[in-house]
């Protein structure tokens, strides 16, 4: 099963790119921003050339499929959508994304899952690199300051946050319980570990919160569970998903 479907014109554009120099560079650049594996029907005109199927055998993006209508084509994809390159009315059965329309964007996200028994050092290293050029870092985790987790969390924060002249903002839970609050003492502890920070700020949301994430001016990192489970000593699974902000 392919990941998504392409309109006939985009399939032809991709084949032009692959086999011919005469292709639309704007469309190909846009297409490569979103492209994943797609189905190429075995009744496509190019397939009559015996050399073409052999040339496509090792193409990681193409899956040769039986001929079908567009609705079936989309239904037999993982993402259940079709990339198009021309304005059409919304289809009543399946979803389309016009790659040339700046108002229609398919947000790409990147992530990884670490089972409970797996070392999470690689995840820590990646997240640290993602934050390395941030203008600010905001951590949203309702239980980051929990008294039984604080020592581990503050050391983890000190490891992944760049020790540069930026603001670190920690948003805690809406709980008037001291152990859940980033008080001045805890802010001072972080400042001692990250001496070059511009400022450590702490706020509380005035609503119940569940989502945990780390946010910068460039991206948002969604966390499947509390920050403490990014530690390799944690016995729980951990997943993080990276979303680029203000993507063009």
């Amino acid at each position: 099963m392919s990941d998504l479907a392409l309109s006939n014109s985009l399939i032809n554009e991709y084949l032009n790119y692959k086999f011919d120099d005469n292709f639309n560079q704007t469309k190909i650049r846009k297409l490569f921003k979103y492209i994943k594996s797609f189905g190429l029907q075995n009744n496509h005109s190019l397939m009559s050339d015996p050399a073409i199927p052999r040339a496509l055998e090792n193409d990681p993006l193409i899956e040769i499929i039986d001929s079908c209508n567009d609705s079936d084509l989309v239904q037999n994809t993982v993402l259940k959508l079709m990339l198009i390159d021309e304005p059409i009315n919304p289809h009543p059965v399946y979803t389309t994304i016009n790659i040339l329309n700046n108002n229609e964007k398919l947000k790409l996200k990147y992530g990884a899952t670490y089972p409970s028994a797996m070392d999470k050092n690689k995840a820590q290293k990646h997240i640290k690199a993602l934050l390395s050029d941030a203008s600010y870092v905001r951590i949203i985790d309702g239980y980051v300051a929990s008294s039984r987790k604080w020592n581990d969390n503050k050391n983890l924060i000190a490891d992944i946050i760049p020790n540069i002249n930026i603001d670190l903002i920690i948003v805690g839970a809406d709980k008037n319980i001291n152990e859940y609050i980033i008080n001045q003492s805890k802010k001072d502890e972080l400042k001692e570990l990250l001496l070059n920070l511009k400022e450590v700020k702490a706020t509380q949301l005035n609503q119940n919160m569940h989502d945990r994430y780390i946010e910068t001016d460039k991206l948002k990192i969604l966390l499947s569970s509390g920050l403490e489970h990014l530690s390799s000593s944690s016995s729980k699974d951990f997943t993080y998903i990276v979303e680029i902000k203000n993507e063009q």
Side-chain angles (χ1 to χ4, degrees):
M1 178 180 285
S2 58
D3 294 321
L4 48 70
L6 300 188
S7 66
N8 286 333
S9 60
L10 282 178
I11 288 176
N12 290 336
E13 205 64 66
Y14 179 79
L15 294 174
N16 287 340
Y17 163 78
K18 189 173 180 68
F19 296 112
D20 190 352
D21 290 334
N22 185 25
F23 61 89
N24 186 311
Q25 293 191 13
T26 298
K27 286 185 182 181
I28 287 297
R29 283 196 297 267
K30 291 280 190 177
L31 182 61
F32 276 12
K33 181 177 179 180
Y34 299 126
I35 196 170
K36 297 177 74 67
S37 67
F38 62 91
L40 175 63
Q41 298 183 48
N42 57 16
N43 65 344
H44 190 281
S45 59
L46 271 180
M47 300 299 282
S48 61
D49 182 340
I52 297 300
R54 289 197 298 272
L56 296 177
E57 283 179 359
N58 296 320
D59 190 310
L61 293 176
I62 291 179
E63 293 187 18
I64 307 299
I65 60 172
D66 293 336
S67 59
C68 60
N69 60 41
D70 283 351
S71 295
D72 289 339
L73 179 66
V74 175
Q75 185 58 34
N76 287 301
T77 67
V78 175
L79 295 176
K80 306 296 189 264
L81 61 82
M82 175 183 282
L83 301 184
I84 63 174
D85 59 343
E86 54 190 11
I88 63 172
N89 293 326
H91 196 278
V93 177
Y94 57 84
T95 301
T96 60
I97 302 289
N98 188 334
I99 65 170
L100 301 181
N101 185 344
N102 290 329
N103 294 321
E104 292 190 17
K105 294 184 179 180
L106 183 63
K107 276 272 189 178
L108 300 182
K109 295 180 172 65
Y110 309 86
T113 296
Y114 289 78
S116 55
M118 182 177 284
D119 189 294
K120 301 182 181 73
N121 287 334
K122 187 174 182 179
Q124 294 175 20
K125 182 179 179 181
H126 185 211
I127 291 175
K128 182 174 183 176
L130 289 170
L131 304 180
S132 63
D133 57 354
S135 296
Y136 69 86
V137 176
R138 180 183 291 113
I139 298 174
I140 293 85
D141 184 339
Y143 300 96
V144 68
S146 170
S147 56
R148 68 183 180 85
K149 303 173 183 176
W150 174 243
N151 280 334
D152 288 340
N153 279 340
K154 74 176 182 183
N155 289 324
L156 183 61
I157 290 171
D159 184 56
I160 64 174
I161 300 300
N163 189 17
I164 56 178
N165 187 33
I166 61 172
D167 285 338
L168 169 61
I169 307 107
I170 300 179
V171 181
D174 177 24
K175 295 180 181 293
N176 293 315
I177 302 174
N178 189 57
E179 72 161 316
Y180 294 122
I181 297 174
I182 299 287
N183 54 27
Q184 187 59 49
S185 175
K186 290 176 179 175
K187 288 193 286 185
D188 290 343
E189 289 178 50
L190 286 172
K191 203 61 171 82
E192 288 176 7
L193 294 171
L194 295 161
L195 295 175
N196 294 322
L197 284 182
K198 181 179 180 182
E199 190 172 353
V200 177
K201 301 177 181 179
T203 62
Q204 288 178 269
L205 292 182
N206 295 320
Q207 58 187 11
N208 291 328
M209 54 183 284
H210 176 75
D211 288 352
R212 286 101 162 178
Y213 55 92
I214 303 172
E215 184 179 17
T216 76
D217 52 303
K218 299 180 180 66
L219 49 83
K220 179 184 285 188
I221 307 169
L222 306 172
L223 311 177
S224 64
S225 55
L227 191 67
E228 73 272 12
H229 297 305
L230 177 57
S231 169
S232 292
S233 63
S234 170
S235 61
K236 292 190 176 182
D237 294 356
F238 185 82
T239 297
Y240 68 99
I241 300 172
V242 183
E243 176 182 311
I244 299 173
K245 296 167 67 174
N246 304 319
E247 193 174 14
Q248 298 300 315

